């Protein structure tokens, strides 16, 4: 599997810390409003990454946080507390706002066939781990107290700008311009780990800490949740490109100073979806949500396909014209498949299946080339394979693409009889004590995602 790594700025071969297993952390939503479809593009890319890793045989453990503690967009941002702004807008408490928009987020990802990450945790539920980490950072001399707040001293990290590839001079200009900057900080680029003197009026979410009642900085949230659920080593960390600086830069600084070694090897970032004005925004123009698209008659899966047609590292411009083109293509695709399902005849051609599966895998293993993966799907449809073979492949590809290509569970009769035949062959091999052949048959099926299970009643199977 080859992935572009923002850390090295190169496409690299992916090698996890533990063979066959992937620990993956994906930054979650700030739940002060609905997600816009730009945010959702990032979650679709992460979903494809997770499913590709699973498709090629990895066991993936994925964690996501829900940012429910109020934060400004960055520590050097002079804006308002997003959560509080949401609460004021809707005359609700910040807790009600967080709860409502978390549910809205879950509903959006479900509609887009995004697999719910194995672990989803609220930032406000892990204050103890942030405190533990901050105490260690203070002890190790990476953090300091100023004006009753705790800051991270970025000058302690020689390669602080490695991920962003920025120059410290460039960044300091932006920081210096900020009138809200805490004058007590040692360096303008230092960022907050714990605030007791709120930059926000009426900060509602507050917790006790060794440094007084306050609330954590934004970045420590992800470092803390990742450490709690995935431990000291992480394989892949994802987010949108806007997360590279300062968020992920600061996560690296904190986590590596805390654990005392390199923390995460692969940093993968999705490019933005823009609207015609240049930037997707929740405040100006039409606020593009998934529900808005639905209200205009677009199945959410059309938006998923729209995203998959382009590479996750290219900027994508949203327009209703392009979405309409995708809608047409999707409808044609479904009707073609539907007619095939009505005649699921012919033999399963296992060699051809393997060849197309390899082509599909190759596309995805090449830094998630989803457009080529979809081309493979079209190649299959255009080919002269039997319908049974085509349906088998469509089902297999849809485990990653998740485009509802075969809405009902399609285990057609042909596939069933193929598996039964293989089970019989394996039973015979076992009877003849030819365990090599028996294992070979089991592995062959496993490669096609069919897992045999030997029970007292006989051999059964599951299609994964
Ligand atoms: P937020 O809810 O603002 O924390 O953002 C959630 C995710 O969406 C993060 O991974 C962001 O990097 C990502 N994101 C923000 N804006 C866009 C955009 N226009 N296109 C794609 N992803 C975005
Ligand atoms: Zn994060």
């Amino acid at each position: 599997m080859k992935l572009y790594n923002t850390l090295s700025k190169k496409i690299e071969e992916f090698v996890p810390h533990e063979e066959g297993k992937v620990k993956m952390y994906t930054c979650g939503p700030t739940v002060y409003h609905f997600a816009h479809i730009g945010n959702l593009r990032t979650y679709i890319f992460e979903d494809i990454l997770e499913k590709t890793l699973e498709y090629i045989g990895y066991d993936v453990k994925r964690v996501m946080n829900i940012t429910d503690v109020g934060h400004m967009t960055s520590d050097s941002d002079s804006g308002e507390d997003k959560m509080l702004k949401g609460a004021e807008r809707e005359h609700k408490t910040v807790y009600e706002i967080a709860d409502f928009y978390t549910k809205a987020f879950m509903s959006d990802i479900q509609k887009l066939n995004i697999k719910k990450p194995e672990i989803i945790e609220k930032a406000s539920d892990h204050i103890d781990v942030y405190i533990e980490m901050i105490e260690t950072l203070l002890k190790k001399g990476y953090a300091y107290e100023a004006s009753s707040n705790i800051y991270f001293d970025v000058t302690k990290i020689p390669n602080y700008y490695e991920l962003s590839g920025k120059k410290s001079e460039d960044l300091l200009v932006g920081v210096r311009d900020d009138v809200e900057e805490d004058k007590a900080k040692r360096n303008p680029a230092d960022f907050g780990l714990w605030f007791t003197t709120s930059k926000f009026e009426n900060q509602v979410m507050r917790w006790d800490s060794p440094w007084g009642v306050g609330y954590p900085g934004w970045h420590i949230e992800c470092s803390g949740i990742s450490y709690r659920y995935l431990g000291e080593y992480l394989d892949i960390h994802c987010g949108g490109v806007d997360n590279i600086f300062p968020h992920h830069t600061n996560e690296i600084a904190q986590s590596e100073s805390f654990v005392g070694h390199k923390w995460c090897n692969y940093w993968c970032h999705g490019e933005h979806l823009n609207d015609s004005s240049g930037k997707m925004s929740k405040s100006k123009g039409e606020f593009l949500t998934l529900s808005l698209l639905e209200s205009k008659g677009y199945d959410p899966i059309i938006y998923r396909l729209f995203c998959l047609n382009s590479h996750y590292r290219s900027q994508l411009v949203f327009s209703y014209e392009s979405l309409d083109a995708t809608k047409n293509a999707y409808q044609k695709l479904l009707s073609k498949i539907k007619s095939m399902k009505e005649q699921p005849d012919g033999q399963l051609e296992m060699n051809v299946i393997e060849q197309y599966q390899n082509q599909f895998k190759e596309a995805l293993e090449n830094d998630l080339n989803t457009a080529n993966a979809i081309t493979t799907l079209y190649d299959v449809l255009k080919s002269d394979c039997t319908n049974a073979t085509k349906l088998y492949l469509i089902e297999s590809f849809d485990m990653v693409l998740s485009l509802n290509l075969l809405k009902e569970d399609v285990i057609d009769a042909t596939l069933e009889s193929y598996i039964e035949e293989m089970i019989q062959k394996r039973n015979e091999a076992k009877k003849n004590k030819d365990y090599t052949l028996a294992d070979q048959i089991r592995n062959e099926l496993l490669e096609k995602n069919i897992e045999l299970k030997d029970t007292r009643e006989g051999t059964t199977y599951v299609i994964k």
Side-chain angles (χ1 to χ4, degrees):
M1 171 93 192
K2 287 193 164 53
L3 279 175
Y4 179 83
N5 189 351
T6 310
L7 203 55
S8 64
K9 322 274 176 291
K10 282 193 206 116
I11 293 193
E12 290 178 25
E13 187 62 42
F14 173 67
V15 185
H17 283 99
E18 200 181 328
E19 208 186 318
K21 293 195 172 156
V22 181
K23 290 183 181 179
M24 178 172 171
Y25 189 93
T26 49
C27 291
T30 312
V31 283
Y32 72 110
H33 216 319
F34 291 109
H36 59 53
I37 56 171
N39 303 131
L40 297 172
R41 182 188 185 200
T42 294
Y43 305 125
I44 291 171
F45 135 65
E46 293 164 350
D47 183 58
I48 286 285
L49 175 56
E50 178 179 7
K51 287 177 179 161
T52 297
L53 290 164
E54 280 172 347
Y55 193 77
I56 61 177
Y58 287 105
D59 177 7
V60 183
K61 184 167 181 186
R62 176 171 169 201
V63 177
M64 181 184 264
N65 63 300
I66 299 281
T67 300
D68 59 349
V69 180
H71 298 295
M72 295 187 285
T73 46
S74 76
D75 293 308
S76 59
D77 186 344
S78 54
E80 298 158 276
D81 170 356
K82 288 180 178 177
M83 291 302 296
L84 195 59
K85 206 172 139 189
E88 280 168 1
R89 184 183 64 232
E90 297 178 27
H91 308 289
K92 288 182 183 159
T93 67
V94 283
Y95 291 96
E96 285 166 341
I97 287 290
D99 190 46
F100 178 83
Y101 288 110
T102 301
K103 286 190 181 122
F105 167 73
M106 297 297 185
S107 154
D108 280 350
I109 63 169
Q110 194 183 3
K111 285 177 187 165
L112 288 165
N113 281 349
I114 292 171
K115 184 177 161 192
K116 195 174 157 210
E118 187 181 330
I119 296 164
I120 299 195
E121 287 294 322
K122 286 198 282 186
S124 59
D125 280 344
H126 299 282
I127 304 298
D128 57 330
V129 76
Y130 316 143
I131 291 176
E132 179 196 332
M133 289 179 93
I134 297 167
E135 279 185 316
T136 305
L137 292 173
L138 280 164
K139 258 188 233 143
K140 287 188 170 181
Y142 290 104
Y144 62 94
E145 192 168 340
S147 317
S148 312
N149 296 329
I150 310 295
Y151 289 102
F152 190 97
D153 184 344
V154 301
T155 62
K156 301 271 190 244
I157 311 291
N159 53 354
Y160 178 67
Y161 295 104
E162 188 183 358
L163 185 75
S164 64
K166 293 181 192 252
K167 291 197 191 78
S168 58
E169 304 86 67
D170 300 345
L171 292 163
L172 290 183
V173 177
V175 174
R176 262 190 239 113
D177 284 348
D178 196 314
V179 287
E180 297 281 308
E181 213 38 47
D182 187 338
K183 300 286 181 299
K185 288 201 306 192
R186 283 184 196 160
N187 315 290
D190 290 353
F191 58 91
L193 295 167
W194 190 269
F195 296 100
T196 61
T197 55
S198 181
K199 284 185 193 171
F200 319 135
E201 288 292 310
N202 314 319
Q203 172 77 26
V204 180
M205 287 196 183
R206 285 170 163 266
W207 296 268
D208 206 3
S209 83
W211 319 286
V213 175
Y215 60 97
W218 171 30
H219 321 293
I220 195 76
E221 208 180 90
C222 293
S223 286
I225 292 177
S226 175
Y227 173 61
R228 171 150 289 168
Y229 294 97
L230 298 169
E232 285 194 16
Y233 292 93
L234 189 58
D235 294 305
I236 305 181
H237 197 310
C238 303
V241 283
D242 57 302
N243 281 159
I244 297 173
F245 189 87
H247 186 47
H248 290 167
T249 299
N250 292 347
E251 277 188 44
I252 295 174
Q254 298 159 161
S255 290
E256 295 198 346
S257 305
F258 173 72
V259 295
H261 53 72
K262 188 167 179 183
W263 169 49
C264 175
N265 286 340
Y266 301 87
W267 288 83
C268 301
H269 294 98
E271 251 303 344
H272 275 187
L273 175 85
N274 300 317
D275 58 24
S276 52
S277 73
K279 194 177 185 302
M280 192 72 36
S281 162
K282 293 185 187 181
S283 51
K284 66 176 164 61
E286 190 178 52
F287 179 12
L288 287 164
T289 60
L290 199 62
S291 317
L292 179 76
L293 296 189
E294 280 183 291
S295 72
K296 291 180 189 262
Y298 299 98
D299 180 332
I301 297 304
I302 294 166
Y303 178 64
R304 184 177 172 102
L305 178 59
F306 170 78
C307 292
L308 299 189
N309 277 330
S310 70
H311 193 252
Y312 77 95
R313 281 196 297 116
S314 305
Q315 287 190 5
L316 180 59
V317 178
F318 176 81
S319 73
Y320 284 107
E321 293 77 50
S322 337
L323 200 63
D324 283 335
T326 312
K327 186 175 177 176
N328 280 337
Y330 184 60
Q331 281 167 346
K332 266 193 207 155
L333 186 64
L334 286 191
S335 68
K336 224 175 185 175
I337 294 172
K338 194 165 175 256
S339 64
M340 239 174 255
K341 273 169 71 180
E342 278 154 17
Q343 288 184 309
D345 50 352
Q347 287 286 312
L348 277 181
E349 300 141 298
M350 297 322 283
N351 285 345
V352 182
I353 286 176
E354 199 175 330
Q355 181 198 318
Y356 279 116
Q357 275 181 329
N358 286 341
Q359 191 181 324
F360 182 75
K361 273 188 211 164
E362 251 166 53
L364 292 170
E365 282 174 339
N366 180 17
D367 195 26
L368 302 181
N369 195 329
T370 46
N372 279 358
I374 289 169
T375 304
T376 307
L377 172 69
Y378 280 102
D379 286 349
V380 167
L381 294 179
K382 275 186 282 175
S383 74
D384 51 13
C385 310
T386 62
N387 277 356
T389 299
K390 286 182 187 175
L391 289 168
Y392 182 90
L393 282 166
I394 294 164
E395 186 175 27
S396 166
F397 295 171
D398 215 30
M399 289 197 287
V400 180
L401 302 176
S402 304
L403 295 170
N404 290 344
L405 297 176
L406 295 164
K407 277 210 173 117
E408 312 97 302
D409 275 349
V410 180
I411 307 169
D412 60 65
T414 322
L415 176 57
E416 248 183 80
S417 65
Y418 160 72
I419 300 169
E420 290 304 340
E421 199 184 300
M422 295 298 268
I423 290 176
Q424 263 192 0
K425 267 196 194 162
R426 181 166 166 266
N427 286 345
E428 263 169 48
K430 284 207 292 194
K431 231 164 81 189
N432 299 333
K433 299 211 171 5
D434 188 353
Y435 296 112
T436 319
L437 178 62
D439 283 351
Q440 215 175 313
I441 294 169
R442 171 193 277 279
N443 291 337
E444 195 179 318
L445 286 169
L446 207 54
E447 266 173 29
K448 316 267 176 318
N449 298 306
I450 302 158
E451 191 181 349
L452 296 186
K453 291 196 188 290
D454 291 319
T455 68
R456 243 180 269 161
E457 287 75 35
T459 306
T460 59
Y461 63 88
V462 278
I463 300 185
K464 297 197 293 179

